[in-house]
Coordinates of all heavy atoms in Angstrom, one line a residue:
V644 N 0.8 -1.2 0.0 CA 0.0 0.0 0.0 C 0.9 1.2 0.0 O 0.6 2.2 -0.7 CB -1.0 0.0 1.2 CG1 -1.6 1.3 1.4 CG2 -2.0 -1.1 1.0
G645 N 1.9 1.2 0.8 CA 2.8 2.4 0.8 C 3.5 2.7 -0.5 O 3.6 3.8 -0.9
I646 N 3.9 1.6 -1.2 CA 4.6 1.8 -2.5 C 3.6 2.4 -3.5 O 3.8 3.3 -4.2 CB 5.2 0.5 -3.0 CG1 6.4 0.2 -2.2 CG2 5.5 0.6 -4.5 CD1 7.1 -1.2 -2.5
A647 N 2.4 1.8 -3.5 CA 1.3 2.3 -4.4 C 1.0 3.7 -4.1 O 0.8 4.5 -5.0 CB 0.1 1.4 -4.3
F648 N 0.8 4.1 -2.9 CA 0.5 5.5 -2.5 C 1.6 6.4 -2.9 O 1.2 7.5 -3.5 CB 0.3 5.5 -0.9 CG -0.1 6.8 -0.4 CD1 -1.4 7.3 -0.6 CD2 0.8 7.5 0.4 CE1 -1.7 8.5 -0.1 CE2 0.4 8.7 0.9 CZ -0.9 9.2 0.7
V649 N 2.8 6.1 -2.7 CA 3.9 7.0 -3.1 C 4.0 7.1 -4.6 O 4.2 8.2 -5.1 CB 5.2 6.6 -2.4 CG1 6.4 7.4 -3.0 CG2 5.1 6.8 -0.9
L650 N 3.8 6.0 -5.3 CA 3.9 6.0 -6.8 C 2.8 6.9 -7.3 O 3.1 7.7 -8.3 CB 3.8 4.6 -7.3 CG 5.1 3.8 -7.2 CD1 4.9 2.4 -7.7 CD2 6.2 4.4 -8.0
V651 N 1.6 6.8 -6.8 CA 0.5 7.6 -7.4 C 0.7 9.1 -7.1 O 0.5 9.9 -8.0 CB -0.9 7.1 -6.8 CG1 -2.0 8.0 -7.0 CG2 -1.2 5.7 -7.3
L652 N 1.2 9.4 -6.0 CA 1.4 10.8 -5.7 C 2.8 11.3 -6.1 O 3.0 12.5 -6.0 CB 1.2 11.0 -4.1 CG -0.2 10.9 -3.6 CD1 -0.3 11.2 -2.1 CD2 -1.1 11.9 -4.4
S653 N 3.6 10.5 -6.7 CA 4.8 11.1 -7.3 C 4.6 11.9 -8.5 O 5.4 12.8 -8.8 CB 5.8 9.9 -7.5 OG 5.4 9.1 -8.6
V654 N 3.5 11.6 -9.2 CA 3.2 12.4 -10.4 C 2.9 13.9 -10.1 O 3.5 14.8 -10.6 CB 2.1 11.8 -11.3 CG1 1.6 12.6 -12.4 CG2 2.5 10.4 -11.8
P655 N 1.9 14.1 -9.2 CA 1.7 15.5 -8.8 C 2.9 16.2 -8.1 O 3.1 17.4 -8.3 CB 0.5 15.5 -7.9 CG 0.2 14.1 -7.6 CD 0.9 13.3 -8.6
S656 N 3.6 15.4 -7.4 CA 4.8 15.9 -6.7 C 5.9 16.3 -7.8 O 6.5 17.3 -7.6 CB 5.5 14.9 -5.8 OG 4.6 14.6 -4.8
A657 N 6.0 15.5 -8.8 CA 7.0 15.9 -9.9 C 6.5 17.2 -10.6 O 7.3 18.0 -11.0 CB 7.1 14.7 -10.9
I658 N 5.2 17.3 -10.8 CA 4.7 18.5 -11.5 C 5.0 19.7 -10.7 O 5.5 20.7 -11.2 CB 3.2 18.4 -11.7 CG1 2.8 17.3 -12.8 CG2 2.5 19.7 -12.1 CD1 1.4 17.0 -12.9
V659 N 4.8 19.7 -9.4 CA 5.1 20.8 -8.5 C 6.6 21.1 -8.6 O 7.0 22.3 -8.7 CB 4.6 20.5 -7.1 CG1 5.2 21.6 -6.1 CG2 3.1 20.5 -7.0
T660 N 7.4 20.1 -8.4 CA 8.8 20.2 -8.4 C 9.4 20.8 -9.7 O 10.2 21.7 -9.7 CB 9.5 18.9 -8.1 OG1 9.0 18.4 -6.9 CG2 11.0 19.1 -8.0
F661 N 8.9 20.3 -10.8 CA 9.4 20.8 -12.1 C 9.0 22.3 -12.3 O 9.8 23.1 -12.8 CB 8.8 19.9 -13.3 CG 9.4 18.6 -13.4 CD1 8.7 17.5 -13.9 CD2 10.8 18.4 -13.0 CE1 9.3 16.2 -14.0 CE2 11.3 17.1 -13.1 CZ 10.6 16.1 -13.6
F662 N 7.8 22.6 -12.1 CA 7.3 24.0 -12.4 C 8.0 25.0 -11.4 O 8.2 26.1 -11.7 CB 5.8 24.1 -12.3 CG 5.1 23.6 -13.6 CD1 4.0 22.8 -13.4 CD2 5.7 23.8 -14.8 CE1 3.4 22.3 -14.6 CE2 5.1 23.3 -15.9 CZ 3.9 22.6 -15.8
V663 N 8.2 24.6 -10.1 CA 8.8 25.5 -9.2 C 10.3 25.6 -9.2 O 10.8 26.6 -9.1 CB 8.3 25.1 -7.7 CG1 9.0 25.9 -6.7 CG2 6.8 25.2 -7.6
A664 N 10.9 24.4 -9.5 CA 12.4 24.4 -9.5 C 13.0 24.9 -10.8 O 14.1 25.3 -10.9 CB 12.9 23.0 -9.1
I665 N 12.2 24.7 -11.9 CA 12.7 25.1 -13.2 C 11.9 26.2 -13.8 O 10.8 26.0 -14.5 CB 12.7 23.8 -14.2 CG1 13.4 22.7 -13.6 CG2 13.3 24.2 -15.5 CD1 13.2 21.4 -14.3
P666 N 12.2 27.4 -13.5 CA 11.4 28.6 -13.9 C 11.2 28.7 -15.5 O 10.2 29.2 -16.0 CB 12.1 29.8 -13.4 CG 13.1 29.3 -12.5 CD 13.3 27.9 -12.7
E667 N 12.2 28.2 -16.2 CA 12.2 28.2 -17.7 C 11.0 27.4 -18.2 O 10.4 27.7 -19.2 CB 13.5 27.8 -18.3 CG 14.7 28.6 -18.0 CD 15.3 28.4 -16.7 OE1 15.1 27.3 -16.1 OE2 16.0 29.3 -16.1
L668 N 10.8 26.3 -17.6 CA 9.7 25.4 -17.9 C 8.3 26.1 -17.7 O 7.5 26.0 -18.6 CB 9.8 24.1 -17.1 CG 8.7 23.0 -17.5 CD1 8.8 22.5 -18.9 CD2 8.8 21.8 -16.5
A669 N 8.2 26.7 -16.6 CA 7.0 27.4 -16.3 C 6.8 28.6 -17.2 O 5.6 28.8 -17.7 CB 7.0 28.0 -14.8
A670 N 7.8 29.2 -17.6 CA 7.7 30.4 -18.5 C 7.3 29.9 -19.9 O 6.6 30.5 -20.7 CB 9.0 31.1 -18.6
K671 N 7.9 28.7 -20.3 CA 7.6 28.2 -21.7 C 6.1 27.7 -21.8 O 5.5 27.9 -22.8 CB 8.5 27.0 -21.9 CG 8.6 26.5 -23.4 CD 9.6 25.5 -23.5 CE 10.1 25.4 -25.0 NZ 11.2 24.6 -25.2
I672 N 5.6 27.2 -20.7 CA 4.2 26.7 -20.8 C 3.3 27.9 -20.5 O 2.1 27.9 -21.0 CB 4.0 25.6 -19.7 CG1 4.7 24.4 -20.2 CG2 2.5 25.3 -19.5 CD1 4.7 23.2 -19.3
G673 N 3.7 28.8 -19.8 CA 2.8 30.0 -19.5 C 2.6 30.0 -18.0 O 2.4 29.0 -17.3

């Protein structure tokens, strides 16, 4: 259950991390 839980929530965590840590990506998308 723990592995499934973390895997499912790793997608929104990655989205947050990419957009916040890489400002160029956020600027490119808008």
Side-chain angles (χ1 to χ4, degrees):
V644 170
I646 288 173
F648 183 71
V649 170
L650 283 176
V651 167
L652 288 181
S653 66
V654 172
S656 298
I658 290 171
V659 170
T660 304
F661 288 149
F662 284 138
V663 173
I665 307 171
E667 296 83 20
L668 180 64
K671 194 171 202 173
I672 291 179

